[in-house]
Amino acid sequence: MKYIFVTGGVVSSLGKGLTAAALGTLLENRGLKVTLQKFDPYLNVDPGTMSPYQHGEVYVLDDGAETDLDLGHYERFTSTKLTKLNNLTSGQVYQTVLNNERDGKYLGKTVQVIPHVTDEIQKRIHDIAAHTKADVLITEIGGTTGDIEGLPFLEAIREFALEVGPHNAIFIHVTYIPFIKAAGELKTKPTQQSVAKLREIGILPHIIACRCEYPIDKDVRQKISMFCNVPYEAVIEAKDVDHSIYEMPLMLQRERMDDLVCRLLDLTTPQASMTHWQEIIRKLIAPQHRVRIGVVGKYIELQDAYKSVYEAIMHGGIANDCGVQIVKIDAEDIERQGAEKVLSGLGGILVPGGFGERGIEGKIMAAQFAREKKIPYLGLCLGMQIATIEFARHVLKLDKAHSTEFAENTPHPVIALLDAQRKVTKKGGTMRLGAMPCQLVVGSRAALLYGAFVINERHRHRYEFNNAYREKFEDAGFTFSGTSPDGKLVEIIELKDHPFFVASQFHPEFLSKPNAPHPLFKGFIAAVHQHLHHKPL
């Protein structure tokens, strides 16, 4: 197995995860089996209890692992199926090491960062290698070189590379080349300092990927090559993409990064054929049609809070050769200004998942507006619960109907806590998590979109539709088109006599890819386009 370690320098949020994922795309299209892994230096055991403002979205895997959002990039850009082995935090490492010490597994030795913590980190690399049997493992180290919490991870991968030997492991350092406006030039000093810091630790990068807003010329490349001790061809320009993150694999291919990686790792493979990827970019840059979709949320000001949702919407656009303008709408703005003023002019409305009471009434107003004005609506997790509450209040006339998450003493708890959650006290990793089967109703819109009757989708929730109200809803035309195989848990709802009103308790956005758009997003964007042009569904 070959190992690629991706580190970052100068500043955070450089796009290490996207660089790793884009490289994975190229290597996969060369015929290699690739898997990716993220090491996060923070002490949280997982991101499941972290604020979206701190961390962005929590990305959920089939096995129920709550992970870093970069794992979403890994799955969207490649065909790899990730598990809990693919994300490791300092919290998990120290928790394991301390449990081992309590169990006497270190035979009374003094427990130290080296070797006990670094050994545990390396064990995770060996575990995933054994589990996946991939040709190449790309491991991204979170944080910025020089951060104190990241040092054990850097020491661990330094030791690991030494163990597996040359031509089996390489280091790619993603760094930042700032443009100083007053001087009118790109500056390489931050990159030089970052690489010097890495070399102090004992890691010599083989490739430097230079994030920049402007192209780097020959002089800049030569300076980085000389002062950072890498060949000229190993200085890779990673300029800001013009239209979409999905341009990155093509950009890295133009820089011949995959050729260099294969040469360094002694991999003999054919050139990557990226024709299908070029067609994806064509549909993003020059689509045949255009629509506007409103996403009504509460973390709207933070791009990463709904990362997978935004990407899945774009995938739905790709599937329909349709450009999508995403309009980000704060649910509290609807509460203050009214649905008509905020939502008018949108082709479709989407309400994503979330937690907490803030903005709930605005989301309910959005669902009502979509239902009454016949605007295509897609609800995800909380978005399904919102649609249920709205229908109960305004169609069934169940005054003050609500979810017990937000109104514990509501007279009509149409959304209630799952039975399995009633005795749960710990917050981390205790929700209904991971891939679960769902049975679709024959003839329903959901079954038509999926082209199947049994599906598997990823969940992350504690509350569920209250079955005591199922008959009332069905009598009023509220269709339960997807349930758990035993019929006890509602998974998908839809409305008849509406251009498109579908909502799911699960998170379909986690299974969408640019080259394999999710059926619900594909159907949603198609319905928006058809509705705008008054075409029959």
Side-chain angles (χ1 to χ4, degrees):
M1 191 172 191
K2 305 294 185 177
Y3 303 90
I4 301 170
F5 297 103
V6 180
T7 58
V10 184
V11 293
S12 59
S13 302
L14 275 180
K16 297 187 300 295
L18 282 170
T19 303
L23 178 58
T25 304
L26 292 173
L27 296 179
E28 217 175 55
N29 281 278
R30 281 175 167 261
L32 297 166
K33 183 181 179 185
V34 177
T35 192
L36 298 99
Q37 182 179 45
K38 175 78 184 282
F39 288 165
D40 277 307
Y42 53 73
L43 282 170
N44 303 69
V45 173
D46 58 48
T49 56
M50 293 170 74
S51 164
Y53 290 113
Q54 286 267 313
H55 190 269
E57 76 172 4
V58 175
Y59 188 80
V60 180
L61 305 179
D62 276 359
D63 63 0
E66 294 175 294
T67 69
D68 182 80
L69 60 82
D70 274 320
L71 275 76
H73 293 314
Y74 302 165
E75 286 200 330
R76 284 189 283 272
F77 276 76
T78 69
S79 60
T80 185
K81 274 284 185 185
L82 306 179
T83 70
K84 62 183 178 182
L85 292 175
N86 295 79
N87 197 191
L88 182 69
T89 70
S90 288
Q92 292 172 17
V93 174
Y94 284 108
Q95 189 178 59
T96 301
V97 168
L98 292 174
N99 286 341
N100 287 346
E101 186 274 333
R102 293 287 82 188
D103 292 340
K105 290 182 180 177
Y106 300 129
L107 304 176
K109 291 178 182 175
T110 303
V111 180
Q112 297 176 291
V113 172
I114 303 171
H116 300 100
V117 170
T118 51
D119 281 356
E120 190 58 38
I121 294 167
Q122 290 178 56
K123 180 179 179 295
R124 179 58 70 90
I125 302 173
H126 287 299
D127 285 349
I128 200 165
H131 177 73
T132 62
K133 294 185 170 54
D135 299 311
V136 180
L137 168 61
I138 304 174
T139 302
E140 175 195 350
I141 314 299
T144 308
T145 298
D147 293 346
I148 191 167
E149 61 265 30
L151 291 175
F153 288 96
L154 294 177
E155 172 59 22
I157 62 173
R158 182 195 69 80
E159 293 174 12
F160 189 90
L162 194 64
E163 175 194 320
V164 298
H167 304 298
N168 288 321
I170 62 169
F171 296 96
I172 298 174
H173 193 54
V174 182
T175 184
Y176 182 56
I177 312 292
F179 180 79
I180 306 300
K181 207 169 185 179
E185 60 181 348
L186 293 160
K187 291 294 184 181
T188 65
K189 189 63 73 176
T191 293
Q192 295 175 42
Q193 297 288 351
S194 179
V195 172
K197 194 76 181 169
L198 205 56
R199 290 170 70 182
E200 279 177 25
I201 296 162
I203 293 174
L204 279 66
H206 298 82
I207 297 172
I208 297 176
C210 302
R211 291 284 289 108
C212 49
E213 296 172 46
Y214 298 90
I216 55 175
D217 59 24
K218 185 178 178 181
D219 290 344
V220 170
R221 287 186 196 244
Q222 284 178 334
K223 189 184 282 190
I224 293 169
S225 170
M226 180 173 66
F227 286 108
C228 297
N229 200 38
V230 297
Y232 178 85
E233 65 174 353
V235 180
I236 303 292
E237 179 185 286
K239 184 177 162 289
D240 290 355
V241 292
D242 295 324
H243 301 281
S244 165
I245 58 172
Y246 300 113
E247 294 174 69
M248 276 202 71
L250 301 178
M251 181 176 68
L252 296 183
Q253 188 182 43
R254 285 194 297 271
E255 290 285 303
R256 304 181 69 85
M257 186 180 189
D258 54 324
D259 289 343
L260 180 57
V261 166
C262 289
R263 197 157 66 247
L264 288 167
L265 292 173
D266 278 349
L267 290 166
T268 305
T269 63
Q271 289 288 321
S273 173
M274 299 298 287
T275 309
H276 64 296
W277 210 263
Q278 288 166 346
E279 180 60 11
I280 288 169
I281 302 305
R282 198 278 301 161
K283 289 178 179 177
L284 286 166
I285 294 173
Q288 297 292 310
H289 318 286
R290 294 193 180 274
V291 296
R292 294 173 79 234
I293 303 295
V295 176
V296 181
K298 62 186 287 188
Y299 312 115
I300 286 300
E301 60 268 43
L302 187 70
Q303 169 72 15
D304 285 346
Y306 302 112
K307 187 66 181 171
S308 292
V309 174
Y310 296 148
E311 293 305 315
I313 292 171
M314 300 310 291
H315 303 163
I318 292 168
N320 290 281
D321 206 346
C322 193
V324 182
Q325 180 191 351
I326 297 174
V327 182
K328 299 170 185 178
I329 298 164
D330 191 322
E332 290 180 287
D333 286 345
I334 300 175
E335 294 173 4
R336 286 187 288 264
Q337 301 173 39
E340 188 78 40
K341 183 174 181 181
V342 178
L343 301 175
S344 289
L346 294 172
I349 294 170
L350 185 149
V351 177
F355 299 90
E357 192 176 356
R358 182 170 62 83
I360 289 299
E361 293 303 321
K363 293 177 185 180
I364 291 170
M365 291 164 71
Q368 181 181 9
F369 186 82
R371 180 180 58 80
E372 292 178 349
K373 301 289 185 182
K374 303 290 187 185
I375 297 170
Y377 175 91
L378 180 61
L380 314 175
C381 195
L382 177 62
M384 188 208 90
Q385 299 174 4
I386 290 294
T388 302
I389 295 165
E390 188 281 318
F391 194 88
R393 288 184 186 179
H394 302 116
V395 178
L396 301 183
K397 306 299 181 187
L398 299 176
D399 192 34
K400 297 181 180 176
H402 222 313
S403 164
T404 55
E405 180 182 2
F406 313 119
E408 199 172 334
N409 298 316
T410 172
H412 295 292
V414 291
I415 303 294
L417 193 65
L418 282 159
D419 289 340
Q421 292 286 320
R422 296 193 185 280
K423 294 182 181 178
V424 172
T425 55
K426 291 186 177 180
K427 299 296 182 192
T430 56
M431 285 186 261
R432 185 176 181 230
L433 289 164
M436 313 268 179
C438 170
Q439 183 84 38
L440 302 180
V441 172
V442 176
S444 65
R445 174 166 281 164
L448 261 168
L449 292 173
Y450 277 97
F453 297 120
V454 179
I455 57 171
N456 273 280
E457 293 280 2
R458 296 176 183 177
H459 295 69
R460 184 175 184 255
H461 65 106
R462 295 185 195 278
Y463 292 80
E464 182 65 71
F465 181 88
N466 186 345
N467 284 322
Y469 290 87
R470 194 182 285 196
E471 197 174 321
K472 275 184 187 295
F473 275 82
E474 285 179 324
D475 289 346
F478 196 85
T479 304
F480 302 101
S481 55
T483 64
S484 55
D486 61 9
K488 291 181 179 177
L489 300 178
V490 171
E491 299 281 24
I492 307 178
I493 63 96
E494 55 187 66
L495 292 182
K496 297 172 183 174
D497 304 320
H498 192 285
F500 187 98
F501 198 103
V502 179
S504 66
Q505 184 56 74
F506 48 79
H507 288 268
E509 67 269 26
F510 293 149
L511 291 181
S512 189
K513 298 173 186 278
N515 53 356
H518 191 282
L520 292 186
F521 285 90
K522 181 179 176 181
F524 175 54
I525 300 300
V528 171
H529 173 63
Q530 289 164 340
H531 181 60
L532 287 173
H533 293 83
H534 307 291
K535 294 179 180 179
L537 284 173

